[in-house]
Amino acid sequence: MTRRAVTAVLAAAALSLSTACGGGDSGSDDKKSSSAATESGKPAESGDGGGNTVPDKSQTLATINGSNGFEFTIHSAVRDGGGFLTISGAVKNTTGKRQIPPIQWNGEETLVKRTGRSFAGVTLVDKVGKKRYYVLRDTDGFPLTTTGLTAFEGGKSVDFFAQFPAPPNETTTLDLQIPLMPTATIEIS
């Protein structure tokens, strides 16, 4: 092959790899599609399948009922090979009326306040290791959790996820703390 042909092949391979890995756009389109939620209480759908985390609803690790009319069902707490722990489930408005998610779920940090309503204030507590884990942030300061929450219509639910640093492998249970909700102990798989 000539030098020009080799260069063209390498450039094409690099471009296809860059496109497959999200290119150089910092994932802004993925952030928009994974963080948007409609007023009906359903999360926006991503065409690439990589932006949203859809919980496996075949099991329930915990159900958390709050006096504020919201119910969280935690379906999974899964470690991945990259050193992360992803919690996923659904939150439901158990009342018959429209409700706005509490602002306390957002967290207090200035950087996460710009994302609007989210679950950035959720924490995990390892009582044995005496550590608290916060929702991870990306390089732009956006929380790695469901964001862009709007009003929940009565009886509607929204799937959610929140990603944390993974605790040590010997840690098998954690306390999940959601502001304004009772604490629940969950098992990690």
Side-chain angles (χ1 to χ4, degrees):
M1 260 190 192
T2 68
R3 178 179 273 172
R4 181 175 277 167
V6 169
T7 303
V9 168
L10 289 175
L15 180 60
S16 67
L17 181 60
S18 173
T19 302
C21 293
D25 68 354
S26 301
S28 60
D29 289 338
D30 286 343
K31 271 187 237 166
K32 289 176 190 169
S33 67
S34 67
S35 67
T38 65
E39 266 192 78
S40 67
K42 293 181 183 177
E45 293 186 7
S46 172
D48 64 1
N52 291 329
T53 301
V54 179
D56 173 8
K57 295 181 180 182
S58 64
Q59 65 177 344
T60 298
L61 300 180
T63 301
I64 308 166
N65 290 301
S67 60
N68 57 3
F70 287 101
E71 175 186 85
F72 281 81
T73 304
I74 310 305
H75 293 294
S76 66
V78 180
R79 295 177 197 266
D80 74 14
F84 305 111
L85 175 70
T86 302
I87 307 293
S88 60
V91 59
K92 181 178 183 177
N93 174 0
T94 59
T95 71
K97 61 183 180 178
R98 186 175 190 203
Q99 289 204 110
I100 306 267
I103 198 162
Q104 290 87 345
W105 291 354
N106 300 350
E108 297 293 321
E109 296 174 51
T110 303
L111 283 176
V112 300
K113 287 182 180 181
R114 68 184 173 167
T115 64
R117 306 274 177 172
S118 73
F119 296 109
V122 174
T123 59
L124 295 173
V125 175
D126 176 0
K127 289 190 278 191
V128 175
K130 299 185 185 329
K131 289 187 179 181
R132 179 180 302 272
Y133 297 93
Y134 295 90
V135 172
L136 290 168
R137 311 303 191 241
D138 68 13
T139 56
D140 294 324
F142 290 98
L144 299 179
T145 186
T146 304
T147 60
L149 300 173
T150 59
F152 287 55
E153 297 300 329
K156 298 292 181 180
S157 65
V158 171
D159 291 336
F160 77 92
F161 80 97
Q163 196 167 47
F164 301 86
N169 288 335
E170 57 272 8
T171 301
T172 58
T173 61
L174 295 166
D175 283 350
L176 175 64
Q177 296 181 335
I178 302 166
L180 305 178
M181 304 292 286
T183 298
T185 301
I186 58 172
E187 284 189 41
I188 303 171
S189 58

